[in-house]
Amino acid sequence: LVSLSVGPGVGQEVQTENVTVAEGGVAEITCRLHQYDGSIVVIQNPSRQTLFFNGTRALKDERFQLEEFSPRRVRIRLSDARLEDEGGYFCQLYTEDTHHQIATLTVLVAPENPVVEVREQAVEGGEVELSCLVPRSRPAAVLRWYRDRKELKGVSSGQENGKVWSVASTVRFRVDRKDDGGIVICEAQNQALPSGHSKQTQYVLDVQYSPTARIHASQAVVREGDTLVLTCAVTGNPRPNQIRWNRGNESLPERAEAVGETLTLPGLVSADNGTYTCEASNKHGHARALYVLVVYDPGAVVEAQTSVPYAIVGGILALLVFLIICVLVGMVWCSVRQKGSYLTHEASGLDEQGEAREAFLNGSDGHKRKEEFFI
Ligand SMILES: *[C@@H]1O[C@H](CO)[C@@H](O)[C@H](O)[C@H]1NC(C)=O
Ligand SMILES: *[C@@H]1O[C@H](CO)[C@@H](O)[C@H](O)[C@H]1NC(C)=O
Ligand SMILES: *[C@@H]1O[C@H](CO)[C@@H](O)[C@H](O)[C@H]1NC(C)=O
Ligand SMILES: *[C@@H]1O[C@H](CO)[C@@H](O)[C@H](O)[C@H]1NC(C)=O
């Protein structure tokens, strides 16, 4: 700031610039010299301790290195910048008047990856509350939430601890079973990060829900002597840890072997007929699936069993075909009718009533075009 030296004969000056660095980064402080004539240049730290005296190290801190000392500039380099390095660095030029200029070093703190936590276990139909915390940043980091690339509205709060900020944000939303495994992102940003960069943490939603169960059979038609494997596909969070197989209110055949999700029924006989069920439960509910087993004679001619989905698909197809036929019939009928009426009008026009007739009558007055609109 002081550069008013109009000393005897010489216009020596020193100039410098403010510097901003991210914590842990490298800062360069440059003292620009003008018309340097060999005077002593001193660089001091914010506590006014001399770092370099005309190019010679004075303070024992290896993080400061003299990079350049030329008649044009003195450049020092500070590596591993810390918050306590902040402040004004003095570039002093000892001529007859001392000139100095201060380079203010600002140390920013980039946020670390945020810590995302859930307040309590989410259950389907309820709400989940997530919190995102960045304990150190400077300036205070801005926290944002995203889910499926859409931003969620969070509530942020900050607290200053000395030179750094601790910031937190919470977000709440309703969850369903389909949200289990979904990803929510908390993003932290401030000027200490390169532009366009941010620190993100992904949180995988854990939504508990009641179980479901479905039975798949290894084959559609079962004859005596066959081996049938039934598989019970269960879902649920927490996952039901046990699957119970039953047959109506009778006991399972003795040959039946139930291992986890599968029930194996070897060497089937007709006495194995029955309604087989698998059941699973967790703390949120209970699910049961049924399978009706019919064991046919080995020689029996069995019509291919149509399972329910096929019946539905068949029904829909039949309906579609029916609709298409209706539309076609309708179109044909309409076009035939139009032509017929048109001709009728041309021919007589007397067997029609109302507007159509008037149209015809008017039409004969030279407004022939109208006819077609009323037919
Ligand atoms: C450098 O920083 C100081 C302190 O923040 C400020 O007063 C001064 O105006 C800044 N100088 C420049 C050139 O930005
Ligand atoms: C200060 O250092 C510069 C560069 O090494 C040198 O030219 C100059 O003579 C020194 N000045 C004094 C007074 O020692
Ligand atoms: C099985 O239970 C049904 C009702 O669920 C009952 O009508 C039937 O009598 C029971 N069969 C036997 C063998 O207990
Ligand atoms: C099992 O079902 C088949 C087919 O309906 C039938 O022919 C057979 O008699 C049944 N057996 C028993 C024991 O119910």
Side-chain angles (χ1 to χ4, degrees):
L1 301 177
V2 183
S3 55
L4 316 159
S5 156
V6 190
V10 250
Q12 294 190 81
E13 285 183 19
V14 61
Q15 276 188 341
T16 186
E17 280 153 19
N18 290 346
V19 178
T20 298
V21 64
E23 189 182 42
V26 173
E28 281 200 343
I29 296 164
T30 305
C31 304
R32 255 178 264 285
L33 304 170
H34 295 282
Q35 297 173 22
Y36 179 65
D37 69 351
S39 303
I40 288 171
V41 182
V42 170
I43 299 176
Q44 291 180 327
N45 69 13
S47 342
R48 305 224 62 169
Q49 294 167 307
T50 299
L51 293 170
F52 295 97
F53 185 88
N54 207 39
T56 309
R57 175 187 299 283
L59 187 74
K60 211 177 151 191
D61 185 343
E62 293 296 320
R63 293 183 304 132
F64 290 96
Q65 293 291 332
L66 184 71
E67 290 279 293
E68 182 182 347
F69 188 178
S70 71
R72 300 181 66 82
R73 62 180 158 252
V74 185
R75 191 154 53 89
I76 64 165
R77 180 186 149 96
L78 164 63
S79 46
D80 185 21
R82 298 170 191 163
L83 279 174
E84 57 267 27
D85 296 325
E86 255 197 1
Y89 286 75
F90 290 73
C91 291
Q92 287 180 311
L93 188 61
Y94 288 90
T95 55
E96 283 172 12
D97 312 314
T98 6
H99 305 191
H100 74 270
Q101 217 190 17
I102 299 173
T104 302
L105 176 72
T106 306
V107 180
L108 304 182
V109 180
E112 287 295 322
N113 285 331
V115 178
V116 180
E117 278 170 355
V118 66
R119 196 176 150 137
E120 60 186 43
Q121 176 64 54
V123 178
E124 64 175 329
E127 277 199 331
V128 64
E129 182 176 323
L130 300 177
S131 67
C132 178
L133 179 70
V134 172
R136 277 181 92 245
S137 61
R138 184 173 195 234
V142 174
L143 303 183
R144 289 192 188 88
W145 293 95
Y146 294 96
R147 186 174 171 209
D148 301 330
R149 301 216 177 95
K150 268 184 259 152
E151 188 167 352
L152 302 176
K153 212 168 132 69
V155 179
S156 291
S157 59
Q159 207 184 347
E160 207 170 357
N161 290 326
K163 288 185 165 184
V164 297
W165 285 82
S166 164
V167 287
S169 177
T170 59
V171 74
R172 284 176 75 89
F173 50 89
R174 295 198 81 76
V175 282
D176 208 344
R177 59 175 56 209
K178 69 180 186 324
D179 298 318
D180 185 42
I183 288 174
V184 177
I185 293 170
C186 178
E187 179 195 78
Q189 235 172 353
N190 77 359
Q191 287 96 301
L193 290 167
S195 76
H197 284 63
S198 64
K199 292 286 175 124
Q200 298 190 338
T201 298
Q202 289 196 345
Y203 179 83
V204 180
L205 288 171
D206 177 24
V207 181
Q208 294 197 339
Y209 55 92
S210 59
T212 63
R214 271 176 72 182
I215 295 177
H216 300 286
S218 58
Q219 60 196 81
V221 178
V222 181
R223 296 167 200 275
E224 280 187 8
D226 284 355
T227 295
L228 181 69
V229 180
L230 298 179
T231 306
C232 184
V234 297
T235 68
N237 182 14
R239 222 184 142 66
N241 51 16
Q242 203 197 337
I243 292 170
R244 287 178 308 280
W245 287 98
N246 286 301
R247 170 165 55 152
N249 34 20
E250 300 161 84
S251 59
L252 288 173
E254 272 181 16
R255 287 159 286 113
E257 212 186 321
V259 178
E261 294 195 333
T262 61
L263 176 71
T264 308
L265 296 162
L268 286 169
V269 294
S270 64
D272 297 334
N273 278 7
T275 301
Y276 287 76
T277 62
C278 74
E279 286 175 80
S281 57
N282 66 12
K283 62 181 168 183
H284 300 291
H286 179 88
R288 195 160 84 125
L290 307 182
Y291 175 82
V292 178
L293 174 63
V294 178
V295 181
Y296 293 93
D297 278 345
V301 179
V302 181
E303 298 235 345
Q305 280 183 332
T306 51
S307 57
V308 179
Y310 285 121
I312 292 173
V313 169
I316 291 171
L317 278 177
L319 190 66
L320 274 177
V321 169
F322 176 73
L323 284 175
I324 290 169
I325 289 172
C326 284
V327 168
L328 284 175
V329 166
M331 279 167 69
V332 169
W333 186 75
C334 282
S335 62
V336 165
R337 186 178 175 272
Q338 264 185 2
K339 268 185 200 160
S341 312
Y342 184 77
L343 290 172
T344 306
H345 277 284
E346 290 256 297
S348 70
L350 295 176
D351 50 3
E352 290 286 331
Q353 309 210 350
E355 286 173 278
R357 183 175 169 183
E358 284 161 29
F360 174 67
L361 293 175
N362 290 342
S364 46
D365 284 7
H367 300 281
K368 260 209 149 146
R369 276 209 188 131
K370 265 190 179 170
E371 264 179 68
E372 290 177 18
F373 293 104
F374 288 97
I375 288 159

